[in-house]
Amino acid sequence: MTIQTWTFLLVGLTFALYIGLAFAARVKSTSDFYVAGGHVSPLANGMATAADWMSAASFISMAGLISFKGYDGSVYLMGWTGGYVLLALLLAPYLRKFGQFTVPDFVGDRYYSKTARITAVVCAIFVSFTYVAGQMRGVGIVFSRFLEVDITAGVMIGMGIVFLYAVMGGMKGITYTQVAQYCVLIFAYMVPAIFLSLLIADTPIPQLGFGGDVVGTSTPLLERLDGLHEQLGFSAYTDGSKSMIDIFAITAALMVGTAGLPHVIVRFYTVPRVRDARKSVGWALIFITILYTTAPAVAVFARTNLLQTVSNRPYAEMPEWFGRWESTGLIDFEDKNGDGLIQYVGTASEQENELIIDRDIIVLANPEIAQLPNWVIALVAAGGLAAALSTAAGLLLVVSSAISHDLLKRALMPDITEKQELMSARMAAAVAVLIAGYLGVNPPGFVGQVVAFAFGLAASSFFPIIIMGIFSKRINREGAIAGMATGLLFTATYILYFRFISPESDKAENWLFGISPEGIGTIGMLVNFLVAGVVSYFTPPPPAHIQQLVEDIRIPRSS
């Protein structure tokens, strides 16, 4: 069968599974809609958390970032992995003991203020929509190539699928759909990785192939890749170009941003007990590790295959996969010297690239470049969609619950019935899907970059307030509101200025302390901590019952 036929078959089967699970788990109460009734098992929650957290950025873009950036791309791997450990140790059990439904719930009750709750709602919506833009772009990329529709049509299809199972099933439906999506995405990621590892390094274990020799030689794979780079006139692939402070800032922003992501935190409210939250964290870490230890190998395999396939090759002799991706607009060749070869032209010190490749296609195109079977190529498409849709659904639920529960029920319209609240949640989810679709069609950057911005925004808004809310009895509502607002405003302004208002000035010499927009969330976090602490010091301490609440949260029971 052709690639397109296999894609229709596998994607159709997985979509039917997702929608079937959503129908079977459709909800009738707000508790089921927000936190699946709090009855999800630790194993299922761990798998759903892994799918929720491993978005299109992890599946599609992370290996592409490492493939293009080499050593510098490792910050994404370190930051996202370390962030989940931080989340597991510092937040999960304490927030589960607190209970409730959402992060703004915690902020509103801990800081005894409707204003704090509404500020948290604004932060949650801002972070979630920034993050979901990357997911919907990932959906559009997959559809545009494998179903041969344009990116806009692909995003529209993805919107329809997410709408069905997010609006009908709420958190209950999303949870069991995400369990299925994890199985699909990890199988789709590992199968081609194993194929490639066998072809390139003669071992079925990608992690060993990454550090092994090229098949039939005694040359280490990374040494071979360094040589290919140096032949083109560039520094070795394993050399980095970023400054140490920028690497540190990006890694830290991704770490604390992970620990502040509302769609991940809410998953720990879905289990029955505090100890189940700890167990589900452990399971999720195992499930996440499988993909994250494989991603560097996939990146190196892809980079090696790509350079060996396209460098100094006649454009007219390129294989079929090149033309198919070129038709999507995600590969572009311009023969600047008219010799018909794909290469870098110019002097050694000032070269121009004739070939532009969108880094988000690396994982998706890798099986085609390596000439793997058509069913493997289609499987990767199904996996990419599973990764993007699972996270998109979780993010849209955060937006929905923030509006219906935190903004309407707990702040503006406390007298609405449960039925009205549930209807409001579904309407909010529907509107959120439309906005997410628009952002998918008009994204502010490539998938991994957009997601990095979202992590920076979460780092500068939620993480400090949650940490101080758990471990400090002195931080009050005035400090929390001021900290969240200034941290988010500072980070968002920095990103908007350098990436959208004045992109020509987006250079290391113009950055604050040499920190790029991807890493500025670390400074935003410090601003949040500082402002919250100073304002709290000069304003009255929290009431006695709030200080007792903090004392209770800080000592998790064994149950």
Side-chain angles (χ1 to χ4, degrees):
M1 289 193 292
T2 65
I3 294 173
Q4 191 175 29
T5 303
W6 271 114
T7 303
F8 273 115
L9 178 62
L10 294 180
V11 170
L13 288 174
T14 55
F15 278 11
L17 175 62
Y18 305 155
I19 294 171
L21 288 170
F23 266 107
R26 58 189 182 275
V27 300
K28 296 181 179 178
S29 71
T30 53
S31 176
D32 281 344
F33 191 90
Y34 295 139
V35 293
H39 300 307
V40 180
S41 72
L43 177 60
N45 195 53
M47 201 173 290
T49 302
D52 203 359
W53 187 65
M54 290 193 299
S55 63
S58 294
F59 189 99
I60 295 175
S61 201
M62 183 171 66
L65 284 166
I66 299 172
S67 181
F68 273 79
K69 292 176 176 287
Y71 176 83
D72 289 339
S74 64
V75 296
Y76 294 90
L77 186 69
M78 294 185 295
W80 285 331
T81 307
Y84 191 80
V85 176
L86 191 67
L87 173 64
L89 294 175
L90 289 183
L91 299 182
Y94 304 105
L95 290 174
R96 177 59 190 87
K97 185 181 179 186
F98 175 75
Q100 298 298 334
F101 292 149
T102 66
V103 173
D105 250 345
F106 171 80
V107 173
D109 288 357
R110 162 60 182 86
Y111 295 107
Y112 50 99
S113 168
K114 284 186 180 181
T115 304
R117 182 186 298 276
I118 292 172
T119 305
V121 168
V122 172
C123 292
I125 292 173
F126 204 88
V127 170
S128 297
F129 274 131
T130 304
Y131 202 158
V132 84
Q135 310 315 306
M136 299 313 292
R137 172 174 161 80
V139 170
I141 288 172
V142 174
F143 275 122
S144 68
R145 161 61 190 92
F146 294 102
L147 297 185
E148 298 183 7
V149 299
D150 62 34
I151 288 182
T152 301
V155 170
M156 299 294 287
I157 296 170
M159 286 168 56
I161 299 298
V162 172
F163 176 83
L164 283 173
Y165 68 77
V167 173
M168 286 189 310
M171 179 59 82
K172 187 177 179 182
I174 286 172
T175 295
Y176 295 108
T177 302
Q178 285 174 337
V179 170
Q181 286 167 332
Y182 175 78
C183 296
V184 171
L185 75 87
I186 201 64
F187 187 68
Y189 203 84
M190 294 304 299
V191 167
I194 291 169
F195 267 102
L196 290 165
S197 186
L198 285 167
L199 288 172
I200 294 174
D202 198 27
T203 174
I205 304 174
Q207 292 86 344
L208 297 181
F210 172 63
D213 296 339
V214 177
V215 64
T217 74
S218 59
T219 304
L221 176 59
L222 288 174
E223 185 178 318
R224 168 64 176 153
L225 188 53
D226 281 345
L228 290 171
H229 267 244
E230 289 164 347
Q231 287 172 22
L232 294 173
F234 298 107
S235 61
Y237 180 77
T238 52
D239 289 346
S241 60
K242 283 185 173 294
S243 66
M244 183 62 68
I245 189 171
D246 197 27
I247 288 176
F248 174 82
I250 295 174
T251 303
L254 295 174
M255 283 183 66
V256 297
T258 296
L261 287 175
H263 74 290
V264 176
I265 291 173
V266 74
R267 291 234 55 92
F268 300 111
Y269 293 138
T270 64
V271 292
R273 296 164 297 185
V274 174
R275 65 183 179 186
D276 292 330
R278 297 191 188 100
K279 289 178 182 177
S280 63
V281 166
W283 279 116
L285 193 55
I286 292 171
F287 295 135
I288 290 167
T289 298
I290 297 172
L291 188 146
Y292 267 59
T293 56
T294 307
V298 171
V300 170
F301 297 157
R303 186 69 171 179
T304 303
N305 277 336
L306 184 65
L307 291 180
Q308 292 179 150
T309 301
V310 305
S311 294
N312 296 311
R313 287 276 300 275
Y315 174 72
E317 297 178 10
M318 289 305 296
E320 288 184 16
W321 70 265
F322 189 94
R324 288 194 289 260
W325 279 105
E326 195 175 21
S327 66
T328 67
L330 300 173
I331 288 181
D332 182 48
F333 170 66
E334 181 184 353
D335 193 2
K336 296 182 178 180
N337 63 355
D339 64 357
L341 298 178
I342 298 175
Q343 59 186 337
Y344 285 87
V345 297
T347 63
S349 60
E350 188 174 342
Q351 292 188 331
E352 289 186 279
N353 185 9
E354 294 186 331
L355 180 67
I356 305 298
I357 299 179
D358 191 306
R359 64 197 73 194
D360 286 336
I361 76 169
I362 287 297
V363 170
L364 300 173
N366 204 10
E368 292 182 272
I369 298 172
Q371 300 181 328
L372 298 186
N374 287 348
W375 67 268
V376 176
I377 297 169
L379 181 64
V380 171
L385 290 171
L389 294 176
S390 63
T391 303
L395 291 164
L396 293 172
L397 188 67
V398 166
V399 174
S400 170
S401 59
I403 293 172
S404 61
H405 179 71
D406 296 300
L407 192 59
L408 295 181
K409 179 67 176 177
R410 299 297 301 274
L412 303 179
M413 303 169 61
D415 296 328
I416 61 173
T417 65
E418 182 174 0
K419 184 177 180 180
Q420 290 172 323
E421 185 182 352
L422 184 58
M423 179 59 68
S424 299
R426 286 182 163 141
M427 291 174 63
V431 173
V433 168
L434 294 175
I435 298 173
Y438 173 81
L439 293 173
V441 175
N442 303 281
F446 59 84
V447 175
Q449 185 183 53
V450 173
V451 169
F453 293 158
F455 277 69
L457 294 171
S460 62
S461 56
F462 279 130
F463 179 76
I465 297 306
I466 294 173
I467 286 294
M468 290 187 290
I470 293 171
F471 295 101
S472 172
K473 293 190 286 186
R474 185 61 182 83
I475 300 298
N476 60 18
R477 63 186 175 191
E478 292 84 2
I481 294 168
M484 279 191 293
T486 53
L488 181 67
L489 183 62
F490 169 82
T491 304
T493 301
Y494 192 91
I495 292 171
L496 288 171
Y497 177 77
F498 282 113
R499 287 299 153 91
F500 305 107
I501 297 173
S502 182
E504 68 278 0
S505 64
D506 189 10
K507 301 173 184 178
E509 59 265 26
N510 297 324
W511 296 337
L512 180 66
F513 306 127
I515 296 173
S516 64
E518 288 85 356
I520 199 63
T522 297
I523 303 299
M525 173 193 67
L526 297 177
V527 169
N528 189 331
F529 272 119
L530 179 63
V531 170
V534 170
V535 172
S536 295
Y537 180 80
F538 288 104
T539 49
H545 73 279
I546 295 297
Q547 297 190 42
Q548 185 59 49
L549 173 66
V550 174
E551 195 71 36
D552 292 340
I553 293 173
R554 246 182 358 203
I555 309 173
R557 295 183 296 267
S558 60
S559 59

